[in-house]
Amino acid sequence: MTTQKKNSAVKAVSFMMLITLVGKVLGLVRDQLLAANYGNGMAAEAFTTASLMPRTFFDAVFASAISASFIPIFNEYLKKKGKKEAFALSNRFITLMGLVTLLMTVVCEIFSTQFVWLFAAGYDNETAALAAQLSHVMFPTIFFTGIAFSFVGILQSLDEFNVPAALSVASNAVIILYYIFWNDRFGVYGLAVAKSNQNVVYLTCGGFVTEGYLERKAIEGDRRKLQLVCTGKAEPLTEEGRKLQQDFLERLFVNTREEDKKGFL
């Protein structure tokens, strides 16, 4: 191994360690903000139960299927049949995973009240009712987690570890921002929505790659890092985005003097 490759490996490992540490610290801040805003009251207990249920169901039913079955088979396809066959396999698996997790989500939504009593034995009726209401918002995370978890496995099989490691940072940051800016307005119900949407950004990026709007390209000199590049198919979308941005800026600075506008742009 050359010195350059050794340095790249050290940088990659150091970056992953840093991201992991930041994620842990943000997780601690997130938990402290939960305690500061809700203490040990009814809302905190209901939210904790509602967020625990979908993760428990996913871990019990789907996590092992992905880690013990899909990922090893995907790796074998990569080695023996190439990326085209491996990605064809992943498309079929993700479609199946989406259908099954969607079915599980529907079942959990229907029987949410009964499931709450399995996790919250000893709660009073008011706390259990709030947990059931919040669970209606939280149970769709079974579907999103199943898809996102599959994408993480694919990325790790392709020696891309930075993006999966950054998921913890992004998800915790979403919750912290909610506490700071929106908690007073929307309360625990908005917190449940924020918790449910932690995987949406990552899932959206993965979908854009699958549909051909984004392309992953290796960074020269470090095979563990990838960059997302817009393809020609995405050009109409990016052009529309530029128009919306320009229209927003024009509306924002209407009646603003040119010299003042330059201070912001």
Side-chain angles (χ1 to χ4, degrees):
M1 181 181 293
T2 64
T3 302
Q4 184 178 0
K5 289 184 178 180
K6 288 182 179 180
N7 291 336
S8 298
V10 170
K11 289 180 181 179
V13 172
S14 300
F15 183 71
M16 287 182 59
M17 292 176 62
L18 177 62
I19 289 179
T20 302
L21 176 61
V22 172
K24 296 295 184 182
V25 172
L26 290 179
L28 178 62
V29 173
R30 176 203 64 202
D31 293 341
Q32 292 297 321
L33 287 172
L34 175 64
N37 284 277
Y38 297 101
N40 294 321
M42 178 185 71
E45 292 179 344
F47 173 77
T48 300
T49 299
S51 60
L52 175 65
M53 288 193 294
R55 185 67 191 183
T56 300
F57 282 122
F58 176 81
D59 288 343
V61 180
F62 302 110
S64 59
I66 296 175
S67 60
S69 300
F70 167 63
I71 295 176
I73 296 175
F74 180 82
N75 286 330
E76 185 177 353
Y77 268 58
L78 275 177
K79 294 178 181 178
K80 296 182 178 180
K81 299 185 178 182
K83 285 188 176 182
K84 184 176 181 179
E85 290 293 327
F87 284 132
L89 170 69
S90 67
N91 288 338
R92 293 192 296 269
F93 178 83
I94 291 173
T95 300
L96 176 62
M97 177 61 63
L99 292 173
V100 176
T101 52
L102 186 61
L103 176 61
M104 173 65 79
T105 300
V106 172
V107 171
C108 290
E109 292 282 359
I110 294 173
F111 297 102
S112 61
T113 302
Q114 289 77 9
F115 286 142
V116 164
W117 288 111
L118 290 177
F119 287 82
Y123 278 10
D124 58 76
N125 291 334
E126 189 176 3
T127 303
L130 177 59
Q133 292 174 1
L134 295 176
S135 70
H136 285 301
V137 180
M138 305 291 285
F139 274 131
T141 60
I142 296 175
F143 170 78
F144 291 117
T145 303
I147 304 300
F149 203 78
S150 301
F151 277 118
V152 167
I154 293 172
L155 285 173
Q156 291 177 339
S157 297
L158 296 172
D159 291 332
E160 170 52 49
F161 301 100
N162 292 334
V163 171
L167 286 178
S168 176
V169 175
S171 62
N172 287 327
V174 168
I175 302 299
I176 291 172
L177 289 173
Y178 174 81
Y179 281 125
I180 296 172
F181 295 106
W182 298 291
N183 184 68
D184 291 339
R185 181 177 180 182
F186 299 107
V188 72
Y189 291 98
L191 179 60
V193 173
K195 179 73 173 178
S196 300
N197 284 295
Q198 289 179 347
N199 290 325
V200 170
V201 173
Y202 177 71
L203 182 59
T204 302
C205 289
F208 280 144
V209 172
T210 303
E211 295 297 327
Y213 292 100
L214 294 175
E215 180 182 2
R216 295 188 183 96
K217 288 189 176 181
I219 296 178
E220 187 176 354
D222 191 345
R223 69 183 185 88
R224 291 183 177 271
K225 294 182 180 180
L226 297 173
Q227 58 182 341
L228 292 175
V229 180
C230 291
T231 64
K233 187 176 181 180
E235 186 58 34
L237 294 178
T238 55
E239 183 61 32
E240 186 65 25
R242 295 188 192 99
K243 291 179 181 178
L244 290 173
Q245 183 183 44
Q246 185 62 34
D247 181 64
F248 172 77
L249 290 175
E250 289 176 358
R251 292 174 183 270
L252 181 65
F253 293 110
V254 65
N255 300 328
T256 302
R257 296 181 304 175
E258 284 297 324
E259 55 268 28
D260 294 333
K261 188 187 299 185
K262 292 177 180 179
F264 288 95
L265 300 177

